[in-house]
């Protein structure tokens, strides 16, 4: 029974993550993504997959800050903030991988860097492409960490992102006609 709770939480996280890329506006993509990350964090903690939890905490924080990139302070210091946040994520990811002596932790590091890195961009199209590149890394991490619901969700996420890419590309071409 105890192992089913993290899987249920993971499935809820997946649902929110899938919905995030179906949102049209960048702010809604980020909002749904942050909610999803909070659920993933809880799942990872319950499974003992602490590197995923730590990196998702940093990823959620980075996503929130990226969502506010148009505020005056962030606009003025955007490059420094992006470098600092990514350096923190990379440092934490490498430290965790060294402490755990696990190459697996590098997959979660790559996944979080690609997913959160996408949110610094303004184009929803590019956000989806970069996020698509991060999903296979999370798939490997989730599968190997026994987060099977999340691993399945990563496959569904890749499909969802592809559908959204096609959906919004078609709508744009319809407007041109």
């Amino acid at each position: 029974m105890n192992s089913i709770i993290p899987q249920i939480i993971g499935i809820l996280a997946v649902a929110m993550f899938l919905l995030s890329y179906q949102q049209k506006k960048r702010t809604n993509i980020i909002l749904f993504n942050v909610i999803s990350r909070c659920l993933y964090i809880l799942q990872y903690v319950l499974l003992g997959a602490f590197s995923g939890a730590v990196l998702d905490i940093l990823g959620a924080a980075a996503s929130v800050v990226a969502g506010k990139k148009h505020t005056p302070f962030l606009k003025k210091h955007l490059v420094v903030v992006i470098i600092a946040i990514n350096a923190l994520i990379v440092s934490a990811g490498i430290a965790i991988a060294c402490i755990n002596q696990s190459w697996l932790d590098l997959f979660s590091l790559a996944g979080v860097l690609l997913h959160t890195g996408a949110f610094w961009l303004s184009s929803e199209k590019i956000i989806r492409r970069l996020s698509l590149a991060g999903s296979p890394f999370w798939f490997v991490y989730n599968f190997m960490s026994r987060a099977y619901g999340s691993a399945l969700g990563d496959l569904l996420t890749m499909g969802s992102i592809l559908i959204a890419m096609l959906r919004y590309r078609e709508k744009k071409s319809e407007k041109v006609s």
Side-chain angles (χ1 to χ4, degrees):
M1 184 64 119
N2 288 342
S3 66
I4 215 163
I5 292 170
Q7 302 305 333
I8 291 169
I9 293 169
I11 290 169
L12 292 172
V14 166
M16 294 304 291
F17 201 71
L18 292 173
L19 286 172
S20 72
Y21 293 103
Q22 295 306 314
Q23 304 303 306
K24 186 169 182 162
K25 297 200 181 277
R26 177 180 171 275
T27 54
N28 289 338
I29 292 172
I30 292 171
L31 174 65
F32 277 75
N33 187 278
V34 169
I35 293 168
S36 170
R37 284 189 183 282
C38 291
L39 291 168
Y40 277 124
I41 291 163
L42 181 58
Q43 177 196 32
Y44 291 140
V45 167
L46 292 173
L47 289 171
F50 296 111
S51 61
V54 168
L55 289 171
D56 256 347
I57 289 168
L58 294 173
S63 297
V64 169
V65 174
K68 307 257 183 223
K69 76 176 192 171
H70 297 296
T71 61
F73 176 81
L74 288 177
K75 259 185 177 175
K76 184 176 180 180
H77 304 288
L78 191 60
V79 173
V80 173
V81 171
I82 291 171
I83 290 170
I85 287 175
N86 284 317
L88 178 63
I89 292 170
V90 168
S91 298
I94 291 172
I96 290 167
C98 290
I99 290 167
N100 291 340
Q101 296 180 349
S102 171
W103 56 269
L104 180 61
D105 296 326
L106 298 177
F107 282 90
S108 60
L109 173 60
V112 80
L113 283 173
L114 289 166
H115 281 171
T116 61
F119 296 138
W120 292 103
L121 306 170
S122 296
S123 166
E124 290 85 0
K125 182 178 179 180
I126 307 287
I127 289 171
R128 288 184 186 92
R129 286 183 182 172
L130 195 54
S131 295
L132 180 62
S135 293
F137 292 101
W138 274 116
F139 171 77
V140 170
Y141 179 80
N142 285 326
F143 185 79
M144 298 300 290
S145 296
R146 300 177 334 270
Y148 301 121
S150 295
L152 176 61
D154 292 317
L155 296 174
L156 294 172
T157 296
M158 289 183 256
S160 175
I161 293 171
L162 290 170
I163 288 167
M165 290 168 72
L166 291 172
R167 211 172 109 197
Y168 292 117
R169 185 182 74 202
E170 289 175 0
K171 287 188 176 190
K172 186 176 180 182
S173 63
E174 287 173 7
K175 289 179 183 176
V176 174
S177 314

